[in-house]
Amino acid sequence: EEETAVLHPEEAYQLYAKPLDEIGSRLILTGLFTILSLFFTLYMSQGWTFLPELFSGGTTVYVLLGLLCAMVLVNRKLYFRQWRGEKGLRPALLLGLATLFAALDCFTAAKTLRPPFPVVIGGLLMVFLWGDYDRSLALLTTVKVLRAETLSAGVSEVQDITKGSRGLIRTQPDVDRFMAKLETRDLTERALRIYTPAAAIGGLVLTLLISLGLKQDLFWTGSLVFLGSVPVVGLLAFPRLFCLLSSRLSGAQAALCGYHGAEVFGGEHSILIGDDDIFPPGALTLNGFKVYSG
């Protein structure tokens, strides 16, 4: 296997801090466009008429299409750089297909005067950005502890400590190994690498079957199928928990090595302990005594 360079905590801190402001700005802009899309969707579906005549009929749909294009432009990196990861496709591919079908569906919606789906696209984009932000913040919080060089001890896993069981032992902090394992892909991400191509192919087949078999509009059907295929919970499952846990641990000047650390601590273990672990020095005192029958 090719050796990969391990970042020093100081270098990693600068790397993880850099995208936070950018992701935050994109999240705010996407949220603004999503709120506007929700307003115009309600304006159209509820039959409101308090805006100028310019926003009546199919014109409102083209306003929604413009807001969708603005969201795509703001999040172009998410669309064009995150479809394919190191090993496999990412769920951003499904979002890209949903966006394509939703954009094409706007032209049909303008003729039939029904609300299109830009507001749903905006909501899904915000979930993607939220997951990216939490992951970056969790990594930043973790390396911040290593950067401060306040770790006095580490915990490592050993195999076959007693009759084939897994064990945890206290060791000296190994910062290089910690940094090498920090960005280990979590179980959800591994599953999504398999799910994404299957959902993309299955979604296209299902769209064709529904549109041809049930005589439904192709772009409307494709929008519904791919909007429903985006794994919303999977995008937040690990980043949200890692972000919350890393924040709590940092308060105690401790750090978890991402999903690798979670795997190490998961399940049953044997732990080697000594006298000082059971009775720490100074924690046990004699508080008088009584004599019974001599």
Side-chain angles (χ1 to χ4, degrees), residues 42-264:
L42 292 174
Y43 185 86
M44 189 174 185
S45 62
Q46 299 300 317
W48 295 341
T49 58
F50 55 83
L51 289 180
E53 187 68 20
L54 176 65
F55 296 97
S56 62
T59 307
T60 306
V61 177
Y62 290 115
V63 171
L64 288 168
L65 177 60
L67 290 170
L68 176 60
C69 293
M71 288 188 282
V72 172
L73 184 63
V74 168
N75 296 283
R76 58 189 181 279
K77 290 183 179 179
L78 188 150
Y79 278 98
F80 300 116
R81 296 184 183 180
Q82 295 190 13
W83 284 6
R84 183 172 180 82
E86 181 182 350
K87 293 181 179 180
L89 298 171
R90 294 180 177 176
L93 173 64
L94 300 177
L95 181 63
L97 290 171
T99 304
L100 176 62
F101 277 101
L104 295 174
D105 178 62
C106 287
F107 295 100
T108 304
K111 298 177 181 178
T112 58
L113 300 181
R114 59 168 174 80
F117 302 104
V119 63
V120 186
I121 297 292
L124 292 176
L125 278 169
M126 293 180 68
V127 173
F128 271 88
L129 293 171
W130 186 10
D132 287 347
Y133 187 88
D134 277 355
R135 185 184 296 273
S136 297
L137 183 59
L139 292 171
L140 180 68
T141 305
T142 300
V143 298
K144 187 177 181 180
V145 176
L146 275 68
R147 179 192 183 204
E149 299 182 352
T150 56
L151 296 179
S152 59
V155 177
S156 298
E157 183 183 44
V158 292
Q159 301 292 335
D160 301 328
I161 188 170
T162 54
K163 297 181 180 179
S165 68
R166 302 161 65 200
L168 295 176
I169 59 173
R170 185 166 49 195
T171 61
Q172 291 296 318
D174 189 343
V175 176
D176 289 340
R177 186 168 185 271
F178 189 102
M179 293 301 301
K181 297 288 187 178
L182 181 57
E183 294 194 50
T184 299
R185 290 195 299 274
D186 59 273
L187 182 60
T188 307
E189 186 176 358
R190 298 173 200 169
L192 290 180
R193 297 293 176 89
I194 301 173
Y195 166 79
T196 299
I201 297 173
L204 290 172
V205 173
L206 185 60
T207 298
L208 290 175
L209 289 176
I210 293 176
S211 61
L212 296 177
L214 300 180
K215 306 300 181 182
Q216 297 293 332
D217 181 77
L218 177 65
F219 301 135
W220 178 82
T221 303
S223 299
L224 290 179
V225 169
F226 284 105
L227 286 172
S229 70
V230 177
V232 176
V233 176
L235 297 172
L236 296 175
F238 175 71
R240 183 88 282 259
L241 295 178
F242 185 28
C243 183
L244 294 173
L245 182 58
S246 62
S247 178
R248 290 179 58 187
L249 291 174
S250 66
Q253 294 301 310
L256 179 71
C257 186
Y259 190 75
H260 172 74
E263 286 186 308
V264 166

